[in-house]
Each structure stands twice: as C-alpha cells, then as structure tokens.
Amino acid sequence: MGSNSWLAIDVGTAPMLRAQELRVAWERFVEGLERSDAESDDDPEDVRDTIVDSWRRSFAAGVDPTGHHLAPVVADEDETHMLWAEHPLARAAPLIHECLAAIADEADYLIVVTDAAGLLLSVEGSARLRLRAADSMNFTEGTLWSEHGAGTNAIGTALAVDHAVQVFGPEHFNEDVQRWTCSAAPIHDPDTGDLLGAIDLTGDFASVHPHSLAVATATAQAIEASLRLHMAEHDLRLRARYADRVSGAPDTRALVTPTGRALTEVPVAWGVHGRLAMPAGGGRLTLPSGLVAIAESVGATEELFVVRAAGRAERPAARPLARAGLLGRERAVLEIDGRRTELRPRLGEILALLCANPEGMTAAALCADLHGDGGSPGSVRVEVSRLRKLLGPWIDTDRYRLTCDVETDVRRVEGLLRAGAVRDAAEAYPGPLLVGSEAPGVVRVRDGLDAWLRQAVMTSDDADALWAWANSATGRDDLGAWKRTLSLLSFRDPRRSLCAARVGELRRELA
C-alpha cells in the first residue's frame, strides 16, 4: 500500500479482502523477523508506512507477535479506579459519553480512555463485548496498551507518534489482537501541550468504518477545548484569590503556575519571554535578566507560586533560604544561614509537617499529626519553640507556618512528578520520608508520596525510572516493580541478569 495515511480502510474497500492481504503481509514480516533480517529496507508494499514503523518499534521493544504474551496488568482494580478518579480526563467523562455513546451503541464499539502511558483507565460498552475483549486480548482497565506493552494498536501507536490513527485487523502486531479494529486520538494538556492520554473506539474488525477515526478525532478536539475553558476559568479564580500577593509590589512579583505560565503581568525588568523555568517544588531561580528570585507556593497543593525577585541590593539574610533533607533519613537535616544541623526526631517531624503544609497549621492540627489522639497542644508549643531556636524568627507562632523560603527534597520529587518527569523523580528519591517515624501526619505524607511515585514509574513505560525505583529503599522488595522492569529491559541490557535474579529471590521469599 505504501501510504502514510492514518486511515486503515476506506468505504470502497472490502474488509475481509483487505484483512487477507494484510495477514499475508504480516506473516511475511514475522518470517523476516525470525530470519533476523528485520532491519532490511524491504518493507511490505501492501502495508501503510505508519504500521510498518510501528511493527518495527514493537519488535524492538520485545513484543511477541505470536500472541504468547498479552498486554501486562500494571494496576489492580482499586489502583485503576483511583487513577481514573484523579486523572484530568475524568472530568470530561460526561462529554465523552455525549460524543460517543450513540455511535458506540450503533456500531458495537467499546469507548476507552487511557492515560499518557497507554494504561486503560475506563472501558465502556456492552457487557458482552467487554467480556470478549478482556478474555481474548486482556483489554480491560489496568492493562498497559502502549506499543511496548501490547505492540501495534491504535492507542499505543497514537501515543507513540502523537497523531490520531486507525488500526485494522492484521495491522496489529500481536496475533491475538487481529480480530479487532480500533481508532484512537491523543489528547493534550492545554497548559503544557503534553500528552494526557487518548480516546479510543474498539470493536470487532468486521465493524471497521473510516468514520470511527473522524469521530474519535472530533471527540479528542472537543475534550481539549473543554479543558482549555476549564483552565481559563481556573486561572480567573486563582488570580482573584491571590492577586493581593503581588498587587503591593507589581514591579518585583508575579503569580506563576508550576509550569512557568504567568497569571499576572511579569515585570519588564525580569527579561522574560514566554514561560519561566520554574524549579520543581519551588525555591530559588535565576531570571533571564540575571536577577535572583524565589518561587514560593501559595498553598499545600503547589498549584500556584508567587515569584519574588530578590533584587541585587537585597541582603540574603533579609529572608533566608532553609533547605530540608527529609527523604531516606531517620533524622531530618536542616541547612540555614550556612549552618547544617541534624534534628532530633520530633523536631524533624515538625519540620516535615510544616513543609508539607505551607499555609500553616493550628496547634491542635499539628498535635494530631504528631501524636494522633494522644499528646497535648501545650507539648507541641514547647517543641516548636525548640525548632524556632534553630530557625530564628521564621516560624509564625499565631498559626504555625514557615515564613522563610524553603526548599525540600520532598517538594523536589513532588514537583518533578507534577511536571511528568518520572525518571528524574525516581532518581531524586533516595527513600521514604523520615524512616521509622510513626507520627500519623508523617506516615500520611510518606505513604502518599510512595504511592504516587510507584504508580508513576509502574505506568511510565520507562525502564530507567523503574530501575531507580526498584533500587530505592522503598522499592527494593517490590516484586511487581522488579517484574515490570525485567519486562522492559532489552536482552542485551547488563542490568537484566541482576533484575532476573532479584525477581527469583523475591518469589522464593514470598513462597
């Protein structure tokens, strides 16, 4: 066929005849793989370039074309429900249903939503078709349908090339998927332009129709338009709520999102054109003009920062920068004004909780996060006063809050995760927050970060990110992570033998 068309079949083509032609081409291609001549330039003439390129990527990723290995399950039912509930596309579920329900019912398609890695988050359709898809090719929530996970398919290929595509019958690399047809379109974040996921229509290959690709594409465009509108409304609310943080000093301050997008006018002296390069989790940054600035979160969710230029004439001691090392340690380390101090466990817990709650905490809330139902606010006040001796006047005692600029390794990892830099986040993570602490608030923050990072690496399709997680103090005994890493490492990767040995060791321990 030799075409670069994203459409698998037109209205004038007989599906069964086309399927036979594609099957012959696929068999010849697979035979070529077995003869180790997959790198030859002799591409199948009857297959679109888009598909042949995907077949080659699938083979390079180690996907078995004969169907012995189906798409891997990387999230259980509870994890998938949680991921879907928190995903930006979840709020578009009513719009997706409105756009696709009628055609899906009429043509007997499944309506599928994935994340950016190809993890199936939502699968809607008739119970009969859902059961058949799950049984025949492991097509159900929690499975990974990237090209690395399942070979050539509309979801994985659309995400790989960032373009809407239709895949029909034997165009699928995995033989067990060749009774199906699918059309998928990628969906992008209106803020960053990054991939959020894909929308997909999947059905029996006999139900193939060119309109399904057009409908999937139109739905993706409608979702992106809805997300842009939501972002604009959210920006308005943030500006209305926090404008007073910059109105008093508009020549030195601006409200900026974690992605570097300014919500208020940026001072001309900063020399900014486009976005600011924001440090993950906030902290010091150098502006294009050379001025030093501080990005300070306006709340615990870090959805907005006040960027404040320090100015060349300002003394650093006017508002110091405190650096807190909290990860992979039993005792927190605090650096301020050139002094480095290892804190007693209780003081480290207080510091971790104040860093996790930049908007401040009442004495009762801090006491509950330190002691649970026991303890008293009075004892907390004594401990805070001890920490204040180290920090100076930079703890607000009316409502316990750090008033100096703060950088922490926790905020850095969280910032990298928010930015989608999963590998960097995994490599920046040395281990759990304050190892051994049993303070309820610390346990909550610790478990939340561990769960967030693990889910990110498990669905990242990135062997290096998984390797970093598996070799951290938290991931060392994570059999699922080691197995997932092993599935992504190439046979020539020197880490593969160690990974296989660790999988066997953990299996024996569990047995």
Side-chain angles (χ1 to χ4, degrees), residues 8-9 107 119 158 197 220 258 293-294 298 305 337 363 420 438 445 448 454 458 480:
I9 196 167
L119 175 72
I294 295 293
V298 299
F305 291 85
D337 289 336
E438 297 181 358
V445 176
R454 182 184 188 276
M458 288 292 283

Side-chain angles (χ1 to χ4, degrees), residues 244-263:
D244 62 320
R245 299 287 186 96
V246 301
S247 60
D251 294 334
T252 59
R253 298 182 183 183
L255 291 177
V256 183
T257 69
T259 59
R261 185 167 51 85
L263 296 191

Side-chain angles (χ1 to χ4, degrees), residues 46-90:
D46 289 339
V47 184
R48 293 177 288 157
D49 294 346
T50 301
I51 299 302
V52 175
D53 291 344
S54 177
W55 283 356
R56 294 193 181 283
R57 289 193 300 269
S58 300
F59 173 69
V63 178
D64 184 354
T66 61
H68 295 309
H69 300 286
L70 299 177
V73 177
V74 297
D76 61 27
E77 184 176 357
D78 290 340
E79 289 175 314
T80 305
H81 283 319
M82 179 187 69
L83 289 171
W84 175 229
E86 297 176 351
H87 197 276
L89 295 180

Side-chain angles (χ1 to χ4, degrees), residues 71 119 231 234 336 340 376 381 440 462 491:
L119 175 72
M231 182 182 74
H234 187 59
I336 188 168
R340 186 178 187 274
S376 69
R381 283 190 284 271
D462 186 329
F491 288 99

Side-chain angles (χ1 to χ4, degrees), residues 108-128:
D108 202 17
Y109 285 131
L110 295 175
I111 302 171
V112 186
V113 185
T114 82
D115 69 6
L119 175 72
L120 303 196
L121 296 174
S122 172
V123 180
E124 291 185 19
S126 70
R128 173 194 55 79

